[in-house]
Amino acid sequence: MFKKFFLFAVPVLSAVVLTSYHEPAERGSSKYGYHALLVADRWGNGNGTAEPEEIEYLLKYFEDHREAPCLGHYPWPKVNEGRVRIETLWETFKASERPEPAPGEADLREKLGDASLRTLFVGIYVLTFDGFDCDVEKFYRAPGPDVGRAQWTEIKIVR
């Protein structure tokens, strides 16, 4: 039963969302998300088109996990007084190179291990999914050097 639904859902989700792939969700809603196809493409090959395998991966991921912490660019210098606008986060997320998700913070830290990145800060994006849109639920600043072991600072998201 699930397999039939899944085989039906991927093409339907693709068709519905492809027409507005680069458009953000309505600003009037309580959430300001971004279409799931953007996230699927960023998790995949990042070629600007969400392919069926990428969409399938996103759907399967969020079927198994409530949130997706991802490593990405830090929106320097657009963070003021510990706050960042949600639009700014989506701009820097789109520019991030293949921000692969991890099931949780501990998993992301384990995946990063002893990594040391040649940048002052990186961003940790915690994404959620509601069926068509993804939202940045939380955002953290992490030091590039020693990113896997250092303390992460939560940055308030302004919607």
Side-chain angles (χ1 to χ4, degrees), residues 31-126:
K31 274 172 78 170
Y32 184 71
Y34 214 94
H35 285 288
L37 290 181
L38 168 78
V39 176
D41 180 52
R42 295 311 313 148
W43 287 357
N45 59 21
N47 67 356
T49 303
E51 297 168 8
E53 304 84 38
E54 296 168 338
I55 297 166
E56 184 176 332
Y57 177 76
L58 179 131
L59 292 173
K60 178 72 172 132
Y61 180 89
F62 281 112
E63 177 183 308
D64 296 337
H65 308 287
R66 189 187 88 65
E67 59 185 27
C70 304
L71 180 70
H73 289 301
Y74 183 72
W76 192 267
K78 296 183 178 183
V79 177
N80 296 318
E81 300 175 6
R83 296 170 175 244
V84 64
R85 296 188 56 79
I86 189 70
E87 296 91 342
T88 301
L89 290 180
W90 284 119
E91 289 171 16
T92 55
F93 182 82
K94 287 192 307 186
S96 299
E97 293 86 17
R98 300 200 63 206
E100 296 181 24
E105 179 183 330
D107 300 293
L108 182 57
R109 285 183 181 278
E110 184 178 324
K111 183 189 280 189
L112 294 170
D114 293 333
S116 180
L117 306 174
R118 292 183 174 189
T119 183
L120 188 55
F121 295 113
V122 295
I124 307 295
Y125 299 75
V126 180

Side-chain angles (χ1 to χ4, degrees), residues 24-34 66-67 78 80 82-90 124-130 133-140 154-159:
E26 292 297 319
R27 293 178 188 246
S29 66
S30 60
K31 274 172 78 170
Y32 184 71
Y34 214 94
R66 189 187 88 65
E67 59 185 27
K78 296 183 178 183
N80 296 318
R83 296 170 175 244
V84 64
R85 296 188 56 79
I86 189 70
E87 296 91 342
T88 301
L89 290 180
W90 284 119
I124 307 295
Y125 299 75
V126 180
L127 305 178
T128 58
F129 177 64
D130 73 0
D133 292 326
C134 285
D135 189 35
V136 181
E137 191 73 26
K138 294 179 187 171
F139 179 72
Y140 298 92
E154 187 169 0
I155 305 294
K156 181 173 175 52
I157 300 170
V158 179
R159 298 185 189 272

